Amino acid sequence: MPPLQKIASPAVVAHELPGTDLTRWRLKCKEGRQHWHYLETDEECHKWPQTNCDRYWLGLPLDLPDSPPATNPLDAAQKGIDFCKHLQTEDGHFAGEYAGPLFILPGMCIAYYVTQTPIPERWRQEMIRYLLNVADPKQGGWGLHIEGHPTVFGTACNYVALRILGLSPDHPTMVRARASLHRMGGAVAAPSWGKFWLTLMNVYSYEGMNPVQPELWLLPESMPFHPSRYWVHTRMVYLPMGYLYGKKYQCPETQLIRELRQELYVQPYEDIYWPAARNDVAEEDSYIEHHKLLDLTYAWMGLYEKFHSASLREKALKRVYDLILMEEENTDSLNLGPVNKSMHMIIVWLEEGPDSRMFKQQVKHYNDYMWMSAKGMVTNATDGSQLWDTAFFAQAVCESGLAEKKENYEIMLRALDFIDDCQIKDHPVHYKEAYRQLRKGAWPFSTRHQGYTVSDCTAEGLKAALCLMSLSYTPNSIPEQRIFDAVNVLLSMQNSDGGFGSYEDTRGPKLLEIINPAEVFADIMIEYSYVECSTAVLLSLSYFRKRYPDYRTKEIQNVQKSVVKFIKSKQRADGSWFGSWGICFTYAGMFAIDSLTSVDETYANSKHVRKGCDFLISKQMKDGGWGESYKSCETGEYVHTATSQVVQTSWAVLALMAAKYPDQEPIRRGIKLIMQRQQLNGEWLQENIEGIFNKNCAISYPNYKFSFTIWALGRYARIYGNADIL
Ligand code: LAN
C-alpha cells in the first residue's frame, strides 16, 4: 500500500470516543413512524423517563421481575406476552431493528457527505460504534450482511462510511479492513452497486462503470424491457442511478476524497485504467455472473455514451426527474427504501437546492430509517417492519385464546388501533403515471406513510384485523368496505401462473434477468410469484371467506383454486418449498403447509402436505429443535446451523400442527425446546439471523422470536391441551 498522506480531516479514534450515554436514548412512535431521540440534559431525561422498550432495543438491563420457568405451554405463552407488553410502542405497534445488510448505511453517509449535511453528532458516534461492532472479527472488513464473509462491496463502502464519520485510517479496525480490501483486489473489484457509490463519492471513475442510461425511460412502455416492467426495488434504484449517471455527477474533490483514493486501491489512483475495471468483480462478491448478452449490451451502451445526443439526454433526465418528484410526493420523501432515498437526497439537493422544502423534508425523514440498536446506530433496510410484526403478534395471541383474557385486552386493543390506522385508505397522488400498483385498501410492510402495497402484508394485515375484530371486547373499527378494499387489492395482484408477487403483479418477461447488472443479487429484474406471498394470500382469502361468504364468491374460489395449484407446483421432489424472504425451506414450508390446510388439505388426505411434513421431520435435530442457515437460500440446498433455533423450531411445529401430523412426539419435543429457551423474565434471546432477500443478503427479524414462539405454544395448547411439559 502506498504511504498515507498526512490526514487533514477531523480524525477520531473510536476507542477514544466518548460514546453516547445509552440511558439518554428514547424511542418516540406516532402512526408507526419510529424516531430515536437523544436527550442532552438531565432535566429532559427526568421529564421523559426511559421505558423498558427503549432499554430492550438498546441492550440495557431491563427493570422486569423474573419468575420461575413456566411448566405448561399456555403459561409460557402468557409469560412471553407479558414480556412483549413492554415492547409495544405508544401507537400500538411492535418496533424493532430491521437491519443486517451492510450496504445501506454507507449510502446514507455518502448522501450526507455529498450534500454537505452534517450527520447529527450522537448518530455519528453511534454509527461508528455499530460499524466497529459488525466488522469481520477474523479477516477484517465487512460483508454484504452481518453474517456474511468480507466482500469488496461491504469493505470498501463501510470503510468510506467510517472515514466520512471521522474515524482515523490508523484505527486498528481500519488497518485490518484495508488489508482485507487489498487482499481482495482493492476497490476496482467492487460490484456495480459499489462502483456507483464510490463514483458518487469521487473515489472511483464513471469511466470504470458500466452505463446506466436514463434514456431507457424514453423507450415505449410496450417494450418488454421498459423499466416500468422491472421489480419495483430494481426500478426505483435504477431510476435515480440513471439520473446521476446521466449527469455524471460526482462530489467535488476534498482532502478526504484525495486520501481515500490512496487508501482504497492496491495501485496508485492515477494509474488505474478505468475501462478495464468495468467488469472486474472480486470472487468474494460475485454471486451471479454477467450474461454474455449483458456484456454485449454494455459494449453498445458504452458506444452510445460516447456519441449520445445532448438533447435526448436532457429529455431523458427531465422524464426521470419527473418520476423522482412523483416518488417524493407519493411517499412524503420517505421513498420506497433507503437505497433510492439516499440517491434522491442528492438529486433533490442538486435540483431544488439545500434550502428547499423538499430537501429539508428528505433530511428530516431520514430519521425514520435510523435505528439505535444495542450495537450502535444503523440505517434500517426499510422504515421499519411495523405492520408485519404487529400482524403476526396479534394473530399469535388470538390463536392461543389468550387474547380473551382480561389482562391482554389492552395490548390487543392497541394492536387493532394500529392495524386500523396503518391500512392505506386512498390512491397515491401519482398513481398509474408513477407505475404504482392498486393500493387503496392495502397494508404496507412498514407504515402507510411509506405507503407501498405489499401482497402478503395486505394478507397478514387483513387476517390480523379480522381476528382482532372477532374478539368479544373489540370494536368493529374497520368498516366492512375497507375489508373489501383489501380483498380487492389481493384479487388484483394474481399472476398468470396462479401465484402472487411481492409489491406488484409480474410485468416483464423472465428473460429480463439476462440484463441483471447487480452481481450480488439474483432474480431481481422482475416480480416473481413467491411461495410465501402466494400462501399468505391463500390463507387470508380462506379466512375472509368464512366471515364473508358472499363477497366476490366465484372470483375468490377461482383464485383459491389456481393459487393452490401454483403452491403445489412449487413443491420440490423432496417435499420442500424454497423460501425467498425467510430462511428458507423451513419458512416457506410453514407458509405452504399452513395455507394448504386452510383449504382442508391435511397430512391424512393430501400427498403434498404429507411430503412437506415428512421433509420437515427429516430435518429435526437431536435436541428436538430445527435450525437452518441462510446458506440454504444462497445454495438452494438445505444447510443446518450448528445449533437449533427457536424461530425455526416454531415454524416447523406450527406447520406440523396445522397439518395434523399424526405423531405428537416430535412436536412436543420442539415445544419443549422453545419452553426451555425461554428466559425467566419471559423473553427469548436473539439467535441467528432470520430473513433473506434476493437469495444472497440476510436480514434480521428480531420480533420473530416472540411472535412465532408464542404462536407455536398457543397452537399446541389448543390442539393437544395444556398439560405440563417441563
Ligand atoms: C422486504 C421486506 C419484507 C418482505 C416480505 C413482506 C417479508 C416478503 O414476504 C415480500 C417482500 C418484502 C416486502 C421485502 C422485499 C425486499 C426488501 C424491501 C425487503 C427484504 C427488505 C429489504 C429489501 C430491499 C430490496 C433492500 C434494498 C436493496 C435493494 C436490492 C434495493
Side-chain angles (χ1 to χ4, degrees):
M1 191 198 128
L4 289 175
Q5 276 185 2
K6 201 172 167 321
I7 306 300
S9 50
V12 185
V13 179
H15 47 254
E16 289 172 4
L17 273 176
T20 70
D21 174 356
L22 294 184
T23 66
R24 290 180 178 273
W25 287 96
R26 306 286 186 274
L27 176 64
K28 180 103 197 120
C29 295
K30 193 172 169 223
E31 296 167 357
R33 300 179 69 158
Q34 309 163 342
H35 298 146
W36 281 95
H37 297 265
Y38 189 79
L39 307 182
E40 294 289 348
T41 67
D42 290 346
E43 202 192 331
E44 284 173 292
C45 288
H46 191 70
K47 277 200 199 133
W48 183 359
Q50 201 168 39
T51 63
N52 272 317
C53 176
D54 301 328
R55 299 179 69 79
Y56 176 78
W57 292 109
L58 291 162
L60 294 173
L62 303 180
D63 178 22
L64 289 179
D66 285 346
S67 60
T71 52
N72 63 59
L74 272 191
D75 283 354
Q78 183 60 53
K79 219 170 136 126
I81 297 169
D82 288 340
F83 182 82
C84 289
K85 283 178 187 165
H86 298 281
L87 301 187
Q88 193 176 29
T89 55
E90 64 260 47
D91 57 359
H93 81 270
F94 289 88
E97 173 179 349
Y98 190 53
L102 288 175
F103 60 93
I104 292 173
L105 184 150
M108 179 260 177
C109 290
I110 292 173
Y112 272 66
Y113 188 81
V114 169
T115 59
Q116 297 161 33
T117 309
I119 296 178
E121 178 55 17
R122 301 305 183 181
W123 292 13
R124 191 185 71 83
Q125 293 170 325
E126 288 296 339
M127 287 163 78
I128 293 179
R129 188 164 73 89
Y130 180 83
L131 288 180
L132 294 181
N133 266 323
V134 296
D136 189 282
K138 288 195 203 109
Q139 301 170 62
W142 293 267
L144 184 64
H145 57 89
I146 51 174
E147 290 194 13
H149 61 268
T151 60
V152 173
F153 190 16
T155 306
C157 289
N158 286 297
Y159 185 94
V160 170
L162 276 169
R163 293 286 275 118
I164 290 173
L165 292 166
L167 195 66
S168 156
D170 300 326
H171 185 279
T173 302
M174 298 294 263
V175 174
R176 298 189 60 220
R178 231 167 26 241
S180 179
L181 179 62
H182 291 187
R183 223 176 15 247
M184 294 182 281
V188 279
S192 57
W193 284 32
K195 291 186 196 308
F196 174 74
W197 283 116
L198 298 173
T199 305
L200 269 185
M201 187 61 193
N202 206 351
V203 296
Y204 192 94
S205 164
Y206 274 111
E207 281 291 298
M209 244 184 88
N210 283 313
V212 187
Q213 283 141 350
E215 282 84 344
L216 217 53
W217 289 88
L218 296 179
L219 294 171
E221 283 170 12
S222 55
M223 287 186 104
F225 45 87
H226 187 273
S228 64
R229 299 178 181 278
Y230 299 173
W231 182 46
V232 67
H233 274 281
T234 303
R235 174 166 90 230
M236 296 314 283
V237 164
Y238 282 97
L239 178 78
M241 218 189 240
Y243 182 89
L244 290 159
Y245 181 87
K247 289 239 163 186
K248 300 280 160 53
Y249 181 74
Q250 289 190 288
C251 183
E253 206 174 296
T254 62
Q255 180 59 23
L256 174 64
I257 288 172
R258 284 189 285 276
E259 288 164 14
L260 280 168
R261 287 175 177 177
Q262 297 205 33
E263 294 160 29
L264 294 171
Y265 298 93
V266 184
Q267 61 277 66
Y269 190 73
E270 305 69 39
D271 294 351
I272 298 172
Y273 177 61
W274 293 107
R278 288 187 185 179
N279 295 314
D280 183 358
V281 178
E283 213 176 286
E284 289 80 354
D285 290 67
S286 185
Y287 179 58
I288 52 159
E289 286 195 1
H290 283 184
H291 195 281
K292 280 200 185 71
L293 265 176
L294 175 65
D295 286 335
L296 206 67
T297 313
Y298 276 148
W300 277 107
M301 287 163 90
L303 264 181
Y304 172 82
E305 197 53 28
K306 271 198 180 144
F307 304 108
H308 70 266
S309 122
S311 62
L312 199 63
R313 172 71 34 108
E314 268 319 298
K315 200 171 157 204
L317 287 172
K318 179 161 181 334
R319 169 78 186 123
V320 166
Y321 190 60
D322 282 348
L323 286 164
I324 288 173
L325 290 180
M326 290 184 210
E327 164 81 347
E328 287 299 297
E329 281 192 61
N330 280 346
T331 63
D332 195 17
S333 296
L334 281 167
N335 305 140
L336 174 60
V339 181
N340 75 327
K341 177 156 175 63
S342 295
M343 295 183 200
H344 277 215
M345 185 167 156
I346 298 173
I347 294 169
V348 166
W349 176 77
L350 279 169
E351 287 289 334
E352 312 288 325
D355 297 323
S356 62
R357 193 197 64 84
M358 203 185 288
F359 180 69
K360 287 186 178 149
Q361 184 97 321
Q362 262 293 335
V363 177
K364 187 168 161 223
H365 291 180
Y366 226 119
N367 282 2
D368 292 56
Y369 284 91
M370 301 310 292
W371 184 262
M372 194 41 211
S373 79
K375 289 182 176 155
M377 182 160 262
V378 60
T379 313
N380 271 343
T382 58
D383 62 329
S385 51
Q386 296 82 330
L387 181 277
W388 191 243
D389 283 325
T390 310
F392 283 136
F393 183 82
Q395 293 179 71
V397 180
C398 285
E399 188 173 334
S400 71
L402 293 169
E404 286 293 354
K405 275 175 75 180
K406 265 229 159 62
E407 61 194 276
N408 298 323
Y409 279 16
E410 197 193 326
I411 192 173
M412 293 285 100
L413 283 164
R414 290 173 55 209
L416 175 57
D417 270 353
F418 175 71
I419 286 170
D420 174 359
D421 178 74
C422 191
Q423 188 180 16
I424 303 168
K425 282 126 197 134
D426 48 19
H427 296 307
V429 190
H430 306 281
Y431 177 23
K432 300 249 158 92
E433 72 267 33
Y435 307 114
R436 293 288 297 265
Q437 188 77 19
L438 173 64
R439 73 164 202 182
K440 185 173 182 227
W443 271 278
F445 179 65
S446 54
T447 61
R448 67 177 159 81
H449 300 278
Q450 186 258 14
Y452 269 88
T453 301
V454 184
S455 68
D456 52 353
C457 298
T458 304
E460 298 299 344
L462 175 62
K463 267 197 295 161
L466 291 176
C467 76
L468 282 165
M469 289 197 297
S470 55
L471 296 172
S472 62
Y473 55 90
T474 43
N476 277 334
S477 45
I478 304 180
E480 223 166 52
Q481 187 52 50
R482 274 173 45 207
I483 297 292
F484 296 157
D485 287 345
V487 173
N488 296 345
V489 168
L490 293 178
L491 295 182
S492 78
M493 293 181 82
Q494 192 175 29
N495 288 322
S496 54
D497 63 4
F500 286 78
S502 54
Y503 295 77
E504 295 166 349
D505 52 344
T506 304
R507 299 176 179 181
K510 163 100 178 117
L511 269 178
L512 269 175
E513 224 51 67
I514 289 177
I515 57 161
N516 173 4
E519 301 83 354
V520 294
F521 303 123
D523 293 345
I524 61 164
M525 291 307 290
I526 55 166
E527 268 287 0
Y528 290 92
S529 288
Y530 298 105
V531 171
E532 300 98 308
C533 299
S534 310
T535 52
V537 173
L538 174 60
L539 267 165
S540 71
L541 290 178
S542 305
Y543 203 81
F544 170 81
R545 261 189 73 192
K546 288 202 184 108
R547 283 157 188 75
Y548 298 96
D550 301 327
Y551 187 73
R552 297 181 71 176
T553 314
K554 197 82 214 123
E555 286 155 281
I556 294 182
Q557 274 171 348
N558 287 341
V559 168
Q560 282 182 307
K561 258 194 220 138
S562 45
V563 78
V564 165
K565 230 176 172 177
F566 169 80
I567 294 164
K568 290 180 176 172
S569 76
K570 287 289 160 187
Q571 189 171 28
R572 296 186 173 196
D574 62 3
S576 68
W577 282 270
F578 179 79
S580 297
W581 308 112
I583 297 169
C584 173
F585 296 101
T586 323
Y587 181 71
M590 170 194 64
F591 276 105
I593 293 172
D594 219 2
S595 72
L596 289 176
T597 65
S598 81
V599 286
D600 300 325
E601 300 211 15
T602 62
Y603 194 88
N605 65 15
S606 158
K607 80 170 189 294
H608 293 277
V609 173
R610 198 154 50 240
K611 279 183 83 175
C613 290
D614 292 344
F615 175 84
L616 287 175
I617 288 288
S618 76
K619 301 297 177 196
Q620 190 168 25
M621 295 166 91
K622 278 209 184 81
D623 63 359
W626 277 258
E628 192 184 353
S629 158
Y630 75 86
K631 291 270 172 206
S632 294
C633 313
E634 247 178 69
T635 59
E637 297 304 325
Y638 191 102
V639 181
H640 276 289
T641 43
T643 52
S644 58
Q645 308 284 310
V646 280
V647 170
Q648 274 152 348
T649 304
S650 306
W651 290 340
V653 294
L654 276 165
L656 295 170
M657 289 188 282
K660 301 196 170 79
Y661 186 71
D663 182 4
Q664 185 184 341
E665 187 52 18
I667 301 170
R668 195 196 59 82
R669 290 177 64 220
I671 292 290
K672 184 171 174 195
L673 181 121
I674 295 170
M675 290 174 66
Q676 283 168 332
R677 297 251 175 110
Q678 188 173 35
Q679 306 298 298
L680 295 178
N681 64 4
E683 73 174 309
W684 283 271
L685 301 179
Q686 183 60 38
E687 298 175 342
N688 290 6
I689 202 154
E690 302 85 353
I692 195 83
F693 59 89
N694 307 149
K695 299 225 161 70
N696 196 28
C697 191
I699 185 157
S700 314
Y701 287 82
N703 284 312
Y704 281 0
K705 63 182 177 289
F706 301 125
S707 47
F708 288 105
T709 45
I710 292 170
W711 207 336
L713 291 164
R715 187 173 289 180
Y716 185 89
R718 194 171 54 72
I719 296 176
Y720 299 108
N722 194 30
D724 276 358
I725 287 187
L726 278 196

